[in-house]
């Protein structure tokens, strides 16, 4: 450097407070996405409190500091036929976000699952030069693998949560990262079995069968009655008590209204699902995130899947390349817990699937398989890893 050349400026820490705030749009269209989006938002703000976070946000994300342009609970639905009641709001939400992307060009768009909506939004972002970080990518390994190409082309980075997904997106090279499963940070019992039983009024040495009928009204409508009937039979014949773990998205009034089941004598547990499941001998579980949560708690389970006939027919046409419907079995590559689908979901068949899990040998084998499953999912800290990726992307964009 010539002696009379001006020295490069030394960064001043005080200038950080005057810099333009990074603006991050986050989109989670379902309850599970809202849960993980909330964890991610907290991690981002812990690293850079100046960030402005906004988008489609549920209760968890809003509590974490995300400003809701649209509330997640206003647009989510179960299956294709049930979406009719929310389709207008969903289209309106897409148009609102598309308008913001075009006019304001956020520094980053973070998409969490919610496949069809988010894939289209990713295309809008790419055309408007807004970088996309896709966290918890759509289940392309189960249906419509043609979307792999779209995801690779439209997302600047992919943060995947299942160990085999990185290979599916191998064409993205270093742009894809296996960050571990976010449920590893959340799913755990925080009190002893004895404490849980006492808290919910069970006898000290009670053995429990838990019912998890789903987080949406449609799931409860299809699954609650056969699950309750089956649980009563299993409980009667094996000296068990029954607990029903109520999802936070439902009230007891809604449960009674749509479930069409006699709940007399069944303890309804609210805001304590993980402790209750961990204290249970086995559980009857609606297909979805709860099946993996139950597996991570080491509780043998029977998975039940039932939707409207139209949704099921269309799903059968679309789903290819998987032999199971429950995530524990998909991850294991074999059936480690029973699963029943559509017409198989009857009280009688649930009983036949559940009772063997109470035998010492089968129970021990199942618990061992569930433990091995947990080890496949990486290490805790997924949200923190994704937050680091997000802020690195923003820094690179600003530097460019």
């Amino acid at each position: 450097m010539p002696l009379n050349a001006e020295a490069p400026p030394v960064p001043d820490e005080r200038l950080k407070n005057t810099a333009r705030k990074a603006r991050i749009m986050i989109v989670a269209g379902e309850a599970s996405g809202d849960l993980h989006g909330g964890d991610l938002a907290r991690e981002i703000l812990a690293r850079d409190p100046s960030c402005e976070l906004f988008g489609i946000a549920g209760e968890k994300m809003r509590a974490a500091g995300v400003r809701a342009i649209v509330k997640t609970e206003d647009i989510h639905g179960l299956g294709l036929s049930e979406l009719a009641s929310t389709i207008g709001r969903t289209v309106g939400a897409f148009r609102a976000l598309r308008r913001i992307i075009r006019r304001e060009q956020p520094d980053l768009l973070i998409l969490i699952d919610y496949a069809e909506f988010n894939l289209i939004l990713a295309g809008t972002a790419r055309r408007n030069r807004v970088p996309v970080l896709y966290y918890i990518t759509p289940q392309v390994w189960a249906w419509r693998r043609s979307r792999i190409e779209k995801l690779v082309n439209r997302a600047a980075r992919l943060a995947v949560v299942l160990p085999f997904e990185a290979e599916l997106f191998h064409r993205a090279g270093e742009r894809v990262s296996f960050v571990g499963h976010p449920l590893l940070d959340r799913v755990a019992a925080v009190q002893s079995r004895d404490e849980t039983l006492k808290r919910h009024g069970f006898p000290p040495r009670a053995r429990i069968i838990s019912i998890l009928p789903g987080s949406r009204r449609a799931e409860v409508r299809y699954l609650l009655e056969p699950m309750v009937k089956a649980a009563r039979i299993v409980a009667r014949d094996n000296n068990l008590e029954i607990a029903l773990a109520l999802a936070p998205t439902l009230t007891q009034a809604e449960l009674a209204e749509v479930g069409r089941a006699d709940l007399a004598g069944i303890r309804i547990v609210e805001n304590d699902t993980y402790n209750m499941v961990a204290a249970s001998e086995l559980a009857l579980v609606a297909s979805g995130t709860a099946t993996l949560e139950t597996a991570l708690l080491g509780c043998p389970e029977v998975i039940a899947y039932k939707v409207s006939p139209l949704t099921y027919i269309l799903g059968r046409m679309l789903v290819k390349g998987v032999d199971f419907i429950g995530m524990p079995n998909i991850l294991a590559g074999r059936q480690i817990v029973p699963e029943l689908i559509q017409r198989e979901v009857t009280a009688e068949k649930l009983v036949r699937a559940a009772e063997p899990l109470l035998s010492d040998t089968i129970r021990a084998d199942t618990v061992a398989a569930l433990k091995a499953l947990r080890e496949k999912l990486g290490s805790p800290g997924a949200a923190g890893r994704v937050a680091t990726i997000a802020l690195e992307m923003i820094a690179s964009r600003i530097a460019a």
Side-chain angles (χ1 to χ4, degrees), residues 87-122:
I87 191 66
R89 293 193 296 273
T90 302
V91 171
F94 177 82
R95 289 174 176 169
L97 297 188
R98 181 179 62 184
R99 189 160 51 246
I100 292 172
I101 290 172
R102 288 174 173 174
R103 294 179 181 177
E104 302 178 24
Q105 292 192 323
D107 295 295
L108 181 65
L109 171 61
I110 300 177
L111 304 175
I112 304 176
D113 202 357
Y114 204 40
E116 303 309 319
F117 185 102
N118 276 342
L119 266 175
I120 299 172
L121 196 65

Side-chain angles (χ1 to χ4, degrees), residues 244-276:
L244 190 153
L246 185 65
T249 52
L250 296 170
T251 64
Q252 290 198 34
E254 289 176 311
L255 192 70
E257 177 189 345
V258 303
R260 300 179 305 223
D262 177 13
L263 299 177
I266 294 177
R267 286 179 175 83
I268 299 176
V269 174
E270 297 186 72
N271 303 315
D272 201 24
T273 296
Y274 291 167
N275 286 321
M276 195 71 255

Side-chain angles (χ1 to χ4, degrees), residues 209-211 224-238 240-243 266 284 347 350-351 354:
I209 177 172
S210 283
I211 301 171
L224 183 61
E225 184 178 22
M227 282 184 169
V228 166
K229 288 181 177 179
R232 289 193 188 281
I233 295 170
V234 174
R236 180 197 66 201
D237 295 345
N238 297 274
L240 304 180
E241 303 276 353
I242 305 172
I266 294 177
L284 308 179
L350 284 166
V351 170

Side-chain angles (χ1 to χ4, degrees), residues 223 285-287 303-307 311-312 325 340-342 345:
L223 296 175
V285 188
S287 177
I303 298 169
Y305 175 85
K306 190 172 185 180
V307 292
T311 297
Y312 181 68
I325 201 160
L340 302 175
I341 301 171
Q342 288 300 100
V345 183

Side-chain angles (χ1 to χ4, degrees), residues 22 77 85 124 136 144 166 174 189 191 238 242 263 288 330 338 343 369 386:
S85 62
T124 297
I136 310 179
R144 291 182 57 190
E174 295 182 354
Q191 63 187 23
N238 297 274
I242 305 172
L263 299 177
I330 292 170
R343 292 182 179 178
V386 178

